[in-house]
Amino acid sequence: DVYDVRAVRAWVACGVLAALAMPACACRVPSKGRAEGGKYRRCATPGRSGQGSVTAGKVTCSWDDDRAACAPDPGDSLDLCVLAGAAAGDATAANVDAFVRTCKAGGVDMMVALGDTGSSEQEIRALAGRLASAGVMVGLLPGSSEHYREFLDAVDAARADGEPVIDLSRVRTIAWGSVTLVTLPGLRDPYYLASGSEGCGYGDGDVEHLGTLLDGIDGQAVLLSVEPPRGDGQWGVDRSRAGTHVGDPALAQALAGRDGLFGVFGHVYESAGVAVDPRTGASLAQGVGHPGLWVNTGSIEAAPWEGEGGGLFSTGQAVVLQIAPGAARYFVWQAGAQGEP
């Protein structure tokens, strides 16, 4: 069976739903960067966005520096289509287009890209246009591949062309109905930044600021982050191909003890499609509401990559996250489902 957004738009009231099989697949580890000595752009610095707004259909999102709000209320659930790893050629672009078609047909509320949005301004601008074709809000977050200045220029160019694109590295919270989206841009380890000192990174102070943002939220919070928190045990959204946990321990500490927190993470790609309970680390099934949930979206890249343990491959996947009062659930989208390329 495959995920059909139309069948689950108001999922609180739905009955039996089809669910995808959880893939034991993998995607590439980010390429080695050139930054030395921990020097990179601190792109998680708050308060640099000024004032602005974008409109998609009947929804308008307005921001003042790092805080935004969207209206009207999304209703029964806030539905996010989330992808990562889109910076890789025509076949990957075809995967993105197929995912956008699925999300558009289902009437989701927002398209989100968690890192690897492109290795040039032109690639990032092209991805923004592809996602905007869904007719909904678009959020872009820089990760390992982006030159940060080119990322900013691409977002500005998209908005200048009338596309409803929000820079999630500068707008750090988005209040939308009973849900607040909170972002953490970039990677902690400069070793993985392809643009070296011009890449997007964060440090301890940025993690502390993230905790402050989360403390100020009244209601449900959803963390959108390229970097996953450090896990432990059999499962985790940060397990590498070697079976070790490689996420950020400082981020894990900042998130500890926050009941009802949901999170979507773009790396590590080997943990594609894995979802865990943030309190216990237990594996969580898709298509079922959970009071707390962390999920790794994996990569939408079309190239086949070996998963942990070998034998199974991904040729592109993404995640749909649906947040309703008191719970959230996820679905894994895979390239090729329903006859898509």
Side-chain angles (χ1 to χ4, degrees), residues 152-295:
L152 297 177
D153 289 345
V155 171
D156 290 343
R159 283 209 292 264
D161 290 339
E163 294 174 358
V165 179
I166 301 175
D167 173 8
L168 299 180
S169 74
R170 292 185 289 189
V171 175
R172 299 292 307 283
T173 66
I174 301 177
W176 201 341
S178 62
V179 178
T180 299
L181 307 177
V182 186
T183 73
L184 179 63
L187 297 178
R188 186 180 188 90
D189 189 345
Y191 181 77
Y192 292 110
L193 297 177
S195 293
S197 61
E198 294 301 315
C200 176
Y202 71 86
D204 288 340
D206 302 308
V207 176
E208 294 173 3
H209 177 66
L210 174 66
T212 301
L213 291 178
L214 291 170
D215 289 340
I217 293 173
D218 183 16
Q220 292 174 295
V222 180
L223 174 61
L224 303 174
S225 173
V226 178
E227 184 94 36
R230 177 71 59 88
D232 56 39
Q234 180 180 2
W235 302 100
V237 292
D238 67 325
R239 279 174 64 93
S240 70
R241 185 173 291 111
T244 58
H245 294 277
V246 296
D248 182 2
L251 179 57
Q253 183 176 2
L255 301 181
R258 297 182 183 275
D259 292 337
L261 177 65
F262 308 114
V264 191
F265 307 96
H267 294 294
V268 174
Y269 291 153
E270 293 98 320
S271 291
V274 172
V276 299
D277 185 321
R279 299 164 301 173
T280 66
S283 177
L284 298 179
Q286 61 182 315
V288 180
H290 302 286
L293 168 69
W294 290 352
V295 61

Side-chain angles (χ1 to χ4, degrees), residues 97-161:
D97 291 342
F99 186 48
V100 168
R101 286 194 294 270
T102 298
C103 296
K104 182 177 181 179
V108 296
D109 298 300
M110 188 175 192
M111 306 291 304
V112 179
L114 296 182
D116 288 345
T117 57
S119 57
S120 68
E121 179 182 344
Q122 292 74 23
E123 288 184 0
I124 300 167
R125 175 68 187 87
L127 176 65
R130 283 189 159 84
L131 300 183
S133 68
V136 299
M137 287 295 160
V138 174
L140 299 183
L141 198 64
S144 66
S145 67
E146 294 86 353
H147 183 291
Y148 189 49
R149 172 48 57 188
E150 293 180 351
F151 173 85
L152 297 177
D153 289 345
V155 171
D156 290 343
R159 283 209 292 264
D161 290 339

